[in-house]
Amino acid sequence: KEVKDYLRLLDKPLDESEAPEARNSALGEDALWHVLYSLGQDNTHLTERKCYWGLVLAVRDRMLEKWSEVQRRYYKNDDKRLYYLSLEFLPGKFLRGNLLALGLENEAHEFLRERGFSLDEIIAKECEPGLGNGGLGRLASCYMDSMATYGLPAYGYGIRYSYGLFRQEIRNGQQVEQPDNWLHEGTHWLIPRPYKLYPVRFYGTVYEWLDDNGILRHDWRGGDLVMAMANDVLVPGYRNGHVNSVRLWEARPHKEFVLSSFNAGDYIGSVQEKISDENISMVLYPSDDAPEGKTLRLKQQYFFVAATMHDMVRRFKKLNKPWDQLPEKNVVQLNETHPSIAIPELMRILLDEELLSWEEAWYICQKLFAYTNHTVLPEALETWTVELMEQLLPRHMQIIYEINRRFLEDVRLHFRDEPDLPSRVSLITAGPEPRVRMSHLAIVGSFSVNGVSALHTQILRDRVFHDFIRIFPDRFNNKTNGVTPRRWLRQCNVPLSWLLSEHLGCGWVTDLNQLEKLRELVDVEEFRHDWEQCRLTNKKRLADYIEKMNGITVNPHSIFDVQVKRFHEYKRQLLNILHIISLYNNIRKKPEVKMQPCTFIFGGKAAPSYRMAKDIIYLINCVARRVNSDPHTRNFLKVIFLANYNVSLAQLLVPATDVSEQISTAGYEASGTGNMKFALNGALTLGTRDGSNIEIAERVGDGNIYLFGLCEQEVIDLRRRGYDPWDIYKNDSELREVLDMINSDQFTPGDPTAFSSIFNSLLSGGDPFMILADYRAYVEAHKRIAHEYVDRELWIKKSIMNTAGMGFFSSDRAIKEYSEGIWDIAPDV
Ligand code: TH1
């Protein structure tokens, strides 16, 4: 079939009103126009790059028209608006998704083909904004897509970092970080708004005064001012004519030069100050799940929150409504605690600038804010020292003290027989270096607190926020994460999308539960055959990439077993590589035993300061070097580490994966979202009973997933009973051999201590993530997989059943739950 034909088959036909023809000119003509008039370049002689930016601008025009229409409608209909505040967004590349949403893919193909270029090649060169670390940022972007597709009056807010997450290179097996200067060429996907500038204050002094009613008032003045400038990214809904935006703030100097020092001849000194202001939005902090406690990070948080609250209040004031209507017309969702300083900031605006009473202001805040928690790792729960807060944000610290005073007074009143409770729930820790607990601030200041999977929310209730459950019993709720089927199926897996649309129609793209109908097709042999062909096509494409990037040939008929995610001890990439080493030993010892060929693929970044995570990356690469070059094993076993895992690489890997490794220690992964993308594309999950794996199992069926290992309660019980990894070391000879190998120079000739920190952590360190405790169960699960993969009939049925059961994990479902259960907003369509 022609590209044109299959596109028609794949996609919901365009509504007449949405048809590109509704515009007078064709996409290609507009692109040419932009090459000359916007880029200022000769458009009779085209290059790939000119075509790309011309297309970007032509697509952007079409989105802008819709966007401004939609904004006017929000205003006219007096819609309640959602503000989604997130320090991270990971949208991935834009062009393909935007063309798809607007129904312009075909036109773009034609335009490029006529000029001898291809859309795929042009997109291969598109750079992706890495304005997030991992799951949390990617979730925010999936949610923006679903909000636009559902037609919600919603705005994303974040920071326009000049440098996104570092680019990862692997040199001699080790991670090397390189700066990600994603804006070097400029980008027309961002619309700069040089007139949307707000001042943001740091440091300074709080002055007191008495108002006419004799009420003590506060005024925060002096200190440093930095300007926040808006940059908008447009987010089109899928084929619905709806366009929302994400506003990313960029720090700009408050004054071009400090005149006094300029005149005194200190030219460089005055420019220095300008540069230090711009530092605030310079770079994304690269740690996932572990705050660094740096002043600049707190500055980033307040910077984007202050500008966002200003924007919200400005929009609200245009409506001329009384302040108590603020939470009836707006709702603010806090993505983790990173933006929770918004609560005292809004209090400050209402008290000090709008002169409301404390009771009025607090009533408004508590009805406006909602908080999503994404982690229960104790080291990830954010706190800031009172000392730093008092310096940087003196007025906010006063307000936090007052919130806390009133809150604890209430707690004492209601829980008279629990004298310890106030100190446990206090917003401020006791001790010589008191700290503000941002999660407690977020809970007390919000009307809703949600976890991101059923198990995670249960853990919040039972353990982490147990005290708060009794104080605010109705505040806690669950919203299991989801992923967008546009990017994570329609875009990344064209062959399978084609097959699905051929059999089910194309409604699944916006109504993922329609995948249920696949259950009727598992017994159709021809369908199963086509299914396998789709998967093979994807695997071959990945094999080509591996060949190109790593110079290693992999067999597309081998099991593609993939673990890609941030490196963290709790995610247990170490468990995976230990098992691979033991497989390697077995093949060498018994070359006569026929084994199903396996390709183990890893990818992911370690925080630059996380030593153990970097050691594990090094170990994987050292094992890979040894295994891939061993003539005895190379036909059965390959180990691949793909450098610089990001959204684009995920889009290549997800549709080509047979086995998806989701093996975190039970109780540690709040949800996981990679697990959903893989299963949606027909991979089988090998996972622990952790995060959303449990819910995936419920929906795809126990027979179509490989669950293993200790559950959350068993992890706790075993630790309580006393867990000694040395016992396992002594009793399991196969595992002992593997551990002794990494504690020698087997993988690092001449350097026997390269991995002693890993060995020590697993044994004398007490194995905090229970890797040895789950080892045997993990090996057994792999044996089952190797055995069942060979039965192609059975495996393909299981693969289909995975896709069929994944409808629930659409971010469209999650966003509907948020709108109905928390935000109380409805689509404006
Ligand atoms: C992740 C969680 O680890 C993951 O389980 C979850 O699926 C994802 O959020 C989306 O809900 C988190 N990422 C971060 C990043 C930072 C701090 C806390 C978390 S939790 C910087």
Side-chain angles (χ1 to χ4, degrees):
K1 277 178 196 141
E2 279 270 298
V3 170
K4 252 199 324 232
D5 298 328
Y6 91 69
L7 288 179
R8 202 163 291 139
L9 219 147
L10 272 171
D11 297 323
K12 170 182 152 189
L14 289 164
D15 187 305
E16 269 314 300
S17 62
E18 312 303 340
E21 291 76 21
R23 254 182 146 258
N24 292 328
S25 50
L27 187 72
E29 280 170 41
D30 284 0
L32 288 176
W33 187 94
H34 275 297
V35 171
L36 182 59
Y37 295 103
S38 305
L39 306 177
Q41 294 189 311
D42 176 14
N43 68 358
T44 59
H45 186 84
L46 289 174
T47 61
E48 262 188 357
R49 188 144 53 77
K50 287 186 204 174
C51 283
Y52 172 70
W53 287 119
L55 268 179
V56 169
L57 286 162
V59 169
R60 193 179 95 167
D61 287 348
R62 284 154 176 78
M63 294 197 290
L64 275 168
E65 287 167 1
K66 300 293 180 195
W67 175 80
S68 84
E69 221 173 87
V70 164
Q71 297 304 309
R72 278 198 305 276
R73 217 164 57 213
Y74 293 164
Y75 183 76
K76 196 182 99 230
N77 296 347
D78 195 19
D79 286 329
K80 180 171 178 181
R81 292 168 155 97
L82 164 73
Y83 289 76
Y84 194 87
L85 272 58
S86 180
L87 215 46
E88 304 189 13
F89 286 93
L90 265 182
K93 293 181 180 185
F94 292 117
L95 183 57
R96 168 108 49 199
N98 289 346
L99 287 172
L100 215 52
L102 300 172
L104 294 170
E105 217 193 2
N106 217 350
E107 256 192 285
H109 265 298
E110 291 294 306
F111 165 69
L112 292 169
R113 216 188 37 190
E114 283 165 20
R115 282 154 189 86
F117 300 118
S118 95
L119 188 56
D120 288 343
E121 282 167 32
I122 281 198
I123 284 168
K125 299 210 176 89
E126 183 176 7
C127 88
E128 75 162 77
L131 311 186
N133 274 289
L136 173 126
R138 182 54 233 174
L139 184 78
S141 290
C142 281
Y143 282 180
M144 292 314 303
D145 178 86
S146 285
M147 290 176 209
T149 296
Y150 192 33
L152 290 181
Y155 299 84
Y157 275 91
I159 293 180
R160 194 226 60 162
Y161 300 103
S162 302
Y163 291 84
L165 185 62
F166 63 87
R167 192 161 45 78
Q168 179 194 54
E169 284 179 8
I170 301 296
R171 287 197 209 145
N172 299 322
Q174 261 157 346
Q175 167 174 302
V176 175
E177 298 96 23
Q178 296 291 344
D180 161 50
N181 186 4
W182 73 289
L183 290 170
H184 69 110
E185 193 182 345
T187 176
H188 298 288
W189 292 120
L190 278 180
I191 303 168
R193 310 257 183 221
Y195 301 106
K196 277 264 174 303
L197 269 182
Y198 301 126
V200 177
R201 189 184 308 278
F202 295 103
Y203 307 102
T205 316
V206 180
Y207 296 91
E208 296 184 341
W209 56 285
L210 285 180
D211 71 11
D212 294 345
N213 304 316
I215 296 175
L216 186 63
R217 293 291 176 183
H218 299 81
D219 209 356
W220 179 31
R221 278 185 268 147
D224 297 347
L225 289 180
V226 177
M227 302 307 286
M229 189 188 105
N231 290 272
D232 290 345
V233 182
L234 301 179
V235 183
Y238 184 80
R239 306 285 160 102
N240 64 352
H242 200 97
V243 177
N244 282 335
S245 50
V246 177
R247 181 154 281 184
L248 300 176
W249 300 105
E250 171 188 351
R252 314 244 63 199
H254 173 59
K255 38 199 178 305
E256 278 304 304
F257 292 101
V258 181
L259 276 178
S260 55
S261 48
F262 187 63
N263 293 334
D266 185 11
Y267 180 78
I268 296 298
S270 62
V271 177
Q272 206 75 50
E273 189 159 329
K274 175 174 134 86
I275 291 172
S276 80
D277 291 344
E278 287 175 1
N279 272 343
I280 292 179
S281 59
M282 191 63 74
V283 60
L284 166 75
Y285 274 86
S287 31
D288 200 51
D289 269 11
E292 288 199 52
K294 297 279 190 332
T295 306
L296 183 59
R297 170 74 171 189
L298 183 57
K299 277 190 171 181
Q300 289 185 336
Q301 297 184 350
Y302 179 63
F303 166 77
F304 107 94
V305 157
T308 304
M309 289 297 102
H310 200 128
D311 220 20
M312 179 184 75
V313 165
R314 171 191 63 85
R315 251 182 226 128
F316 178 71
K317 280 184 159 183
K318 282 206 293 199
L319 306 175
N320 275 316
K321 290 183 195 286
W323 281 107
D324 62 3
Q325 294 264 307
L326 185 76
E328 276 159 51
K329 289 294 156 199
N330 300 282
V331 53
V332 178
Q333 188 70 42
L334 306 172
N335 198 23
E336 250 304 310
T337 52
H338 315 141
S340 55
I341 196 74
I343 295 164
E345 170 63 4
L346 186 64
M347 286 298 285
R348 186 192 67 77
I349 295 172
L350 297 177
L351 292 169
D352 302 357
E353 293 178 7
E354 304 300 334
L355 304 180
L356 269 59
S357 70
W358 181 278
E359 289 73 17
E360 290 169 315
W362 187 239
Y363 171 85
I364 291 168
C365 280
Q366 277 199 316
K367 279 179 74 176
L368 183 73
F369 291 103
Y371 154 53
T372 305
N373 172 284
H374 296 263
T375 178
V376 298
L377 293 189
E379 70 270 23
L381 295 179
E382 217 184 359
T383 61
W384 293 102
T385 65
V386 167
E387 193 192 347
L388 174 60
M389 286 273 233
E390 250 159 10
Q391 258 181 41
L392 192 68
L393 303 168
R395 179 62 182 134
H396 299 78
M397 195 59 236
Q398 286 180 344
I399 291 171
I400 292 170
Y401 272 124
E402 182 61 12
I403 294 173
N404 199 35
R405 190 188 66 77
R406 289 170 182 249
F407 168 58
L408 294 185
E409 196 174 274
D410 246 27
V411 171
R412 278 187 206 101
L413 200 72
H414 286 93
F415 300 86
R416 285 176 190 284
D417 47 353
E418 288 186 68
D420 295 342
L421 188 59
S423 79
R424 290 205 304 269
V425 296
S426 174
L427 307 203
I428 298 161
T429 63
E433 197 191 48
R435 305 180 74 92
V436 182
R437 293 160 161 155
M438 301 308 268
S439 57
H440 292 200
L441 172 63
I443 294 170
V444 173
S446 300
F447 68 88
S448 160
V449 179
N450 76 281
V452 291
S453 74
L455 175 70
H456 169 58
T457 302
Q458 200 53 49
I459 293 173
L460 292 182
R461 291 175 193 275
D462 295 347
R463 290 216 309 270
V464 189
F465 298 141
H466 183 68
D467 291 322
F468 286 100
I469 290 286
R470 290 179 306 143
I471 303 173
F472 307 119
D474 305 326
R475 207 164 279 194
F476 289 78
N477 65 92
N478 177 247
K479 296 288 169 282
T480 298
N481 284 168
V483 300
T484 170
R486 269 75 63 188
R487 185 170 293 264
W488 297 112
L489 186 52
R490 173 60 189 84
Q491 228 195 99
C492 74
N493 199 343
V494 172
L496 195 66
S497 295
W498 189 359
L499 186 67
L500 290 172
S501 294
E502 218 163 43
H503 289 268
L504 314 175
C506 47
W508 60 269
V509 179
T510 48
D511 177 12
L512 205 59
N513 284 321
Q514 291 188 22
L515 296 179
E516 285 288 337
K517 290 185 283 181
L518 283 174
R519 294 182 196 282
E520 298 155 21
L521 292 164
V522 283
D523 295 320
V524 181
E525 199 189 321
E526 194 197 334
F527 181 76
R528 284 201 307 271
H529 173 262
D530 290 347
W531 188 273
E532 185 164 30
Q533 287 310 307
C534 288
R535 300 194 53 75
L536 193 59
T537 307
N538 297 331
K539 288 173 78 174
K540 284 182 176 154
R541 189 167 60 131
L542 177 58
D544 290 344
Y545 180 84
I546 292 171
E547 179 96 56
K548 191 173 109 207
M549 302 305 287
N550 293 36
I552 292 168
T553 309
V554 302
N555 171 4
H557 297 281
S558 65
I559 301 178
F560 280 15
D561 180 305
V562 177
Q563 187 173 21
V564 285
K565 49 183 78 250
R566 283 301 289 257
F567 270 80
H568 203 297
E569 285 160 279
Y570 83 76
K571 296 180 190 278
R572 301 201 295 192
Q573 285 94 351
L574 186 51
L575 175 59
N576 189 344
I577 197 70
L578 293 181
H579 166 251
I580 293 170
I581 297 170
S582 102
L583 269 186
Y584 174 68
N585 291 342
N586 290 344
I587 303 172
R588 281 166 51 96
K589 277 184 212 155
K590 299 186 193 142
E592 70 286 357
V593 177
K594 271 257 163 281
M595 189 195 123
Q596 166 61 41
C598 255
T599 304
F600 290 94
I601 301 171
F602 291 87
K605 297 174 185 178
S609 59
Y610 193 170
R611 283 304 311 272
M612 187 61 81
K614 289 181 135 179
D615 287 347
I616 295 168
I617 290 180
Y618 185 47
L619 174 61
I620 292 169
N621 281 297
C622 292
V623 171
R625 188 180 47 197
R626 168 87 184 266
V627 168
N628 297 339
S629 61
D630 188 327
H632 304 289
T633 60
R634 71 202 297 152
N635 290 333
F636 301 101
L637 188 58
K638 288 273 160 67
V639 182
I640 305 293
F641 189 100
L642 289 173
N644 200 39
Y645 177 60
N646 59 10
V647 176
S648 310
L649 185 48
Q651 287 179 221
L652 179 66
L653 283 159
V654 160
T657 295
D658 296 305
V659 178
S660 149
E661 300 261 359
Q662 309 297 338
I663 57 177
S664 51
T665 317
Y668 282 78
E669 189 72 271
S671 161
T673 44
N675 49 1
M676 301 170 188
K677 296 161 196 167
F678 286 106
L680 176 60
N681 282 272
L684 272 65
T685 304
L686 167 53
T688 45
R689 290 170 185 80
D690 196 20
S692 53
N693 292 351
I694 299 172
E695 288 157 86
I696 292 177
E698 283 166 8
R699 294 196 143 81
V700 303
D702 280 341
N704 301 310
I705 186 169
Y706 301 93
L707 292 182
F708 73 94
L710 301 171
C711 70
E712 186 246 349
Q713 192 57 50
E714 289 166 338
V715 167
I716 294 172
D717 293 345
L718 178 55
R719 202 169 276 144
R720 200 168 286 153
R721 278 206 312 276
Y723 164 57
D724 187 0
W726 284 109
D727 289 341
I728 298 171
Y729 177 85
K730 282 172 203 144
N731 294 324
D732 190 327
S733 61
E734 215 176 84
L735 174 58
R736 185 167 63 245
E737 187 186 352
V738 171
L739 291 169
D740 289 341
M741 279 168 85
I742 67 167
N743 202 30
S744 75
D745 78 343
Q746 284 270 333
F747 299 110
T748 47
D751 181 7
T753 60
F755 305 119
S756 47
S757 60
I758 295 179
F759 182 86
N760 291 336
S761 159
L762 287 174
L763 290 152
S764 15
D767 186 14
F769 298 97
M770 313 296 242
I771 289 176
L772 305 196
D774 273 342
Y775 183 78
R776 233 343 97 192
Y778 182 63
V779 173
E780 293 307 318
H782 265 295
K783 283 187 187 151
R784 261 172 60 216
I785 287 174
H787 181 73
E788 295 187 359
Y789 185 84
V790 183
D791 186 344
R792 297 309 297 148
E793 201 93 307
L794 177 74
W795 187 272
I796 295 161
K797 281 185 185 173
K798 289 184 186 225
S799 168
I800 296 170
M801 291 305 271
N802 267 266
T803 303
M806 289 302 288
F808 176 79
F809 299 95
S810 168
S811 47
D812 298 340
R813 182 272 314 156
I815 285 303
K816 269 186 201 124
E817 287 184 5
Y818 275 95
S819 347
E820 286 159 19
I822 300 178
W823 302 333
D824 190 27
I825 56 173
D828 181 339
V829 278

